[in-house]
Amino acid sequence: MKRAEKQPHDSARFDLPPDEVRRIGYLAADAIASHRESLTSRPVFGKVGTAAGLFSGPAPEEGVPFEETLAFVREHILPFPMGNSHPRFYGFINATADPVGVAADGLAAAMNPNCWGGDHAAVHVEKQVIGWLASAVGFPLEAEGILVSGGSMANFTALAAARRAQTPGNVREDGLGGPDRPRLTVYASDQVHACVDKAVDLLGIGTAQLRKLPADEKFRIRLEDLESVVARDRAAGFTPAIVIGNAGTVNTGAVDPLDALADFCARERLWFHVDGAYGAMAVLSPRLAPLFSGMARADSIAADPHKWLYVPYEAGATLVREPGRLGNTFRRFPEYLASDAESPFPGPAWFAERGVELSRGFKALKVWMGWKTHGRRGYAASIENDVRLARFLSDAVDGRPEFERLADTVLSIVNFRYRPAGRSLPDADLDAVNRRIVNRLVGDGSFFLAPTVLKGRTALRVCIVNFRTREKDLLALLDEAARIGEEISSASAG
Amino acid sequence: MKRAEKQPHDSARFDLPPDEVRRIGYLAADAIASHRESLTSRPVFGKVGTAAGLFSGPAPEEGVPFEETLAFVREHILPFPMGNSHPRFYGFINATADPVGVAADGLAAAMNPNCWGGDHAAVHVEKQVIGWLASAVGFPLEAEGILVSGGSMANFTALAAARRAQTPGNVREDGLGGPDRPRLTVYASDQVHACVDKAVDLLGIGTAQLRKLPADEKFRIRLEDLESVVARDRAAGFTPAIVIGNAGTVNTGAVDPLDALADFCARERLWFHVDGAYGAMAVLSPRLAPLFSGMARADSIAADPHKWLYVPYEAGATLVREPGRLGNTFRRFPEYLASDAESPFPGPAWFAERGVELSRGFKALKVWMGWKTHGRRGYAASIENDVRLARFLSDAVDGRPEFERLADTVLSIVNFRYRPAGRSLPDADLDAVNRRIVNRLVGDGSFFLAPTVLKGRTALRVCIVNFRTREKDLLALLDEAARIGEEISSASAG
């Protein structure tokens, strides 16, 4: 890297002429294309490791030319990605980014609107995208929503609306503290995402009031347990308020009995929230939609475009059936946003009234451009392909004696474990072996997956939200896991 | 627009070869450069108006080529921006985006890491950026922080940490509801940002427990009022918990007496939070830094890179002095993130433990690339230029009899109003005239500013976080406001 050149320190450094803006854009596009090209020749997961010192210096006093900054990015940052654009990345629920969404994020940053409200184009685009998402999940035309950073904020935002709707008095002003305030209770299976714990905590309800009911053998909530726990809570003076149904759990992809939950919530006057951060967008496939029967009856739904619509981070969505619920929860106009009847800038939607944030970026553009370019059919085909690949892997696991499947394959997640052929090992030993398999696979950079724990047993968990994965990538995983598993268990047996 | 062509609906539509990724990137860069070029030949604020119907259709069933999607964006979206890249945009605190940050956002989207943790480069970059920000505000080396979407989440995140630290027992598990729970109280001036109301509401404290103390004539909190209200609350059985000092209010840019607040909070064992979403980054200028004396003694600070570091939306920051406070507030490991001592993917920081979100985009790259390219001196020069322009406008206002300044000009915000020369009008009439001036200026697209209300009086509020604004743009505003003001008051007088 050449030494920093002296630069003028004035606003010209920021206010570049259009040609220079274009030139920088081309340089970035070149870097992006090279990154894409070289991905498969590197480890799936970029470990910075001993190079951490490159990122330890103090803030630079003097600037350098853009080319120098970009050269560092190309050499030391782009080659060490999270890995989720690699065909052999199966971790968490981290999708591979659609290049259309990447271009859209650049355009959105250039336009740089603040999407709190107003009549500028970005607000119209977001309103349209919310309409598309709401319609896709079967919500009525008048349903409202907002794009947020992801599943955590999508669930938080919906649960805030639920808290507002279900708390006696005005919880916004009165809070939950003090002698006469209700003790709200919230219900979900033990497979519910940890972000719900965070939301229940942050909203002042407290996680001790989140009833996590042990899931059934298919990792779904048990209705009879829910009924009895709600009754017990009512008798004990709690205020049962919210039920959360999963539309694709993060562990296994299980879908709770949403129709039955909707019936129960209607009967008991509970807010029915569906966490569909992972699964909800699969309704775009007519083949998969029946799995989510009852979701359309929810009061609110969390869905993540940055999962199964493959847009780059960040884009989650909160959708709420009844208009006005989000406004009742979040509306608060500061004086400097004061407007009047003659105001020349009314707009189609006031997103600052629908969520936590006032300043909000243009997340909607990537969803909008992706949907325009791929259409519903494009998304459906790609989601179906992920599900098909998961079933392919699931069948392959079932066909090999050295593997044991640990959960039904419902969407695009497969859980299984290695089990040395011809030997019967206790679960604790199998857990250790399978953890070591994961650590070896990830450590040598050939695959990325993370283990999970299902009914106390460690599982190799493969999640496919990745249009670059092929059948051969999955077979290679099984071959390699078996090889390592055999090596480990032979060594420990010897 | 040509008709949609039939497209194959398979993963090839998503998994583009590198050359195609580059081509799309160039097309986007061209659109971005044209957007930049044509900005000043259009109205400042893009009103969609009667073209809203373009954004009302249902979700497309079939896709179209990327070029067709982009053509619509170029024709119907890019020409209708929020306006904040225009030299004559003075609204809210919406900065003009640095082109370096725009390129960085494209690179971040392409890399698409999930910045919850791990040893990939993005996490190192974010850790370094947090260190730079913490060091800039004078926090000790071991201070922690996290990038969030903006000021609302930055304040929310810090106040969540404050609530955790200040509530007896374990507020995460126990919540705030029920007979034995404390009633926390929070203190700020009435100039505090509305996002603090939202945070106090959402955290279950309730806005009735947010004591907004009337500001002094310089729009700063009055220490003597704070002392007496805290004492009264203690006597009444409340639990005083948090004081919020402003480092640049949104209305006027006023800075509270931070040193005195730090002393008071230390004495009373209150959490001292500073909302520096707008102002805090001005400490990068040695000339402006003395304004913020005492900020470094805060327990937590909110600061927004998407304001005075000019990065595109979204990037806010929560900084917390004492390490572990954020972890105590947010740590919660789901099973599928379970790790072990042999895990091959430890990392420098676990950002999912420091905030609400688990999935998190790579916001740090734009801050990092901007800082590398401009250096501290580049930012200081540009911030100082904004402040210089505000003082220039302030002096020009003072030099014209038809205008009256309504607040001190501390940072880069100027508040004033039109007042017809030689006539004495009551405040209500002046409010109406000034609101109509704003509506006319904004309505005809020549400027963008939003009015605010200061001590009950409507102010024309000009905020400059804009490296494209020049002195002539400000003089043009005064000329035009005076012309419209004269027209309106003559008409109503006649």
Side-chain angles (χ1 to χ4, degrees), chain B residues 72-130:
Chain B
F72 187 99
V73 171
R74 292 188 70 144
E75 191 173 352
H76 300 297
I77 296 178
L78 287 171
F80 301 95
M82 171 80 173
N84 43 325
S85 293
H86 194 288
R88 295 187 175 183
F89 181 93
Y90 314 130
F92 322 121
I93 311 179
N94 290 180
T96 297
D98 175 13
V100 172
V102 173
D105 256 0
L107 288 159
M111 205 173 170
N112 197 34
N114 183 334
C115 298
W116 64 270
D119 190 39
H120 53 108
V123 177
H124 289 269
V125 170
E126 182 162 351
K127 179 161 185 275
Q128 187 172 31
V129 162
I130 290 296

Side-chain angles (χ1 to χ4, degrees), chain A residues 9 13-15 18 22 24 26 29-30 32-33 46-49 52 55-64 69 72 77 80-82 84 92 94-95 97 99 102-103 105-106 109-114 116 119-121 124-125 128 132 149 152 156 163 172-173 175-178 183 193 197-198 201-208 250-251 312-314 330 332 335-337 340 342 344 352 355-358 360-361 363 368 371-378 381-382 435 439 450-452 467-468 470, chain B residues 9 13-15 18 22 24 26 29-30 32-33 46-49 52 55 57-64 69 72 77 80-82 84 92 94-95 97 99 102-103 105-106 109-114 116 119-121 124-125 128 132 149 152 156 163 172-173 175-178 183 193 197-198 201-208 250-251 312-314 330 332 335-337 340 342 344 352 355-358 360-361 363 368 371-378 381-382 435 439 450-452 467-468 470:
Chain A
H9 294 294
R13 288 291 301 280
F14 291 89
D15 191 11
R22 179 183 292 104
I24 281 182
Y26 280 18
D30 288 340
I32 288 168
K47 266 178 72 82
V48 170
F55 301 97
S56 63
E61 179 69 7
E62 305 288 341
V64 299
T69 302
F72 187 99
I77 296 178
F80 301 93
M82 171 80 173
N84 42 326
F92 322 122
N94 290 181
V102 173
D105 256 1
M111 206 174 169
N112 198 35
N114 183 334
W116 64 270
D119 190 39
H120 52 108
H124 290 269
V125 171
Q128 187 171 30
W132 294 352
S149 57
S152 296
F156 178 84
R163 188 193 69 157
R172 299 187 64 186
E173 293 174 6
L176 288 170
R183 283 181 296 163
H193 194 275
D197 294 73
K198 274 189 176 176
D201 153 13
L202 291 167
L203 290 168
I205 298 169
T207 55
V250 69
N251 269 334
Y313 290 111
E314 301 168 341
F330 294 106
R332 184 170 292 277
E335 284 151 340
Y336 65 97
L337 298 182
D340 62 31
E342 288 182 53
V356 178
E357 290 143 344
L358 179 56
R360 307 176 59 251
K363 297 184 178 79
W368 189 94
W371 212 316
K372 283 276 187 187
T373 304
H374 302 298
R376 185 207 52 83
R377 291 169 62 100
S382 200
R435 283 187 176 277
N439 290 347
T452 193
F467 47 79
R468 308 191 73 200
R470 302 288 177 266
Chain B
H9 295 293
R13 288 292 300 280
F14 292 90
D15 191 12
R22 179 184 291 104
I24 281 182
Y26 280 18
D30 288 340
I32 288 169
K47 265 178 72 82
V48 169
F55 301 98
E61 178 71 8
E62 305 289 340
V64 299
T69 301
F72 187 99
I77 296 178
F80 301 95
M82 171 80 173
N84 43 325
F92 322 121
N94 290 180
V102 173
D105 256 0
M111 205 173 170
N112 197 34
N114 183 334
W116 64 270
D119 190 39
H120 53 108
H124 289 269
V125 170
Q128 187 172 31
W132 294 352
S149 56
S152 296
F156 177 84
R163 186 192 71 156
R172 301 188 63 187
E173 293 175 7
L176 287 170
R183 283 180 298 164
H193 194 275
D197 294 73
K198 272 188 177 177
D201 153 13
L202 291 167
L203 290 167
I205 298 169
T207 55
V250 69
N251 269 334
Y313 290 110
E314 301 168 341
F330 294 106
R332 184 171 292 279
E335 284 152 340
Y336 65 96
L337 298 180
D340 63 29
E342 287 182 51
V356 179
E357 290 144 344
L358 179 56
R360 306 176 60 251
K363 297 183 178 78
W368 190 94
W371 212 317
K372 283 276 186 185
T373 304
H374 302 298
R376 184 206 54 80
R377 289 170 62 100
S382 200
R435 282 187 177 277
N439 290 347
T452 192
F467 47 78
R468 307 191 73 201
R470 303 288 177 266

Side-chain angles (χ1 to χ4, degrees), chain B residues 406-462:
Chain B
L406 295 182
D408 281 1
T409 301
V410 182
L411 296 171
S412 67
I413 296 173
V414 187
N415 281 284
F416 59 103
R417 64 177 172 181
Y418 174 78
R419 192 180 49 180
R423 295 171 58 194
S424 178
L425 291 181
D427 272 347
D429 291 2
L430 287 174
D431 289 349
V433 169
N434 281 278
R435 282 187 177 277
R436 290 181 65 191
I437 291 174
V438 169
N439 290 347
R440 285 273 296 276
L441 289 170
V442 174
D444 73 11
S446 53
F447 296 91
F448 189 90
L449 69 169
T452 192
V453 178
L454 298 176
K455 308 278 184 198
R457 300 183 297 183
T458 295
L460 306 179
R461 176 180 170 284
V462 169

Side-chain angles (χ1 to χ4, degrees), chain A residues 324-385:
Chain A
R325 289 288 184 195
L326 288 173
N328 284 346
T329 308
F330 294 106
R331 183 178 302 116
R332 184 170 292 277
F333 263 120
E335 284 151 340
Y336 65 97
L337 298 182
S339 192
D340 62 31
E342 288 182 53
S343 168
F345 49 102
W350 296 93
F351 288 106
E353 293 189 350
R354 297 188 184 181
V356 178
E357 290 143 344
L358 179 56
S359 290
R360 307 176 59 251
F362 193 7
K363 297 184 178 79
L365 188 61
K366 54 193 164 193
V367 183
W368 189 94
M369 288 184 72
W371 212 316
K372 283 276 187 187
T373 304
H374 302 298
R376 185 207 52 83
R377 291 169 62 100
Y379 284 124
S382 200
I383 294 167
E384 286 169 6
N385 190 53

Side-chain angles (χ1 to χ4, degrees), chain A residues 130-143 280-281 283-284 292 294-298 301 319 321:
Chain A
I130 290 296
W132 294 352
L133 294 169
S135 164
V137 299
F139 267 10
L141 263 182
E142 68 271 19
M281 287 298 98
V283 294
L284 294 177
F292 303 96
M295 181 163 74
R297 297 167 61 199
I301 298 174
L319 305 167
R321 161 187 297 283

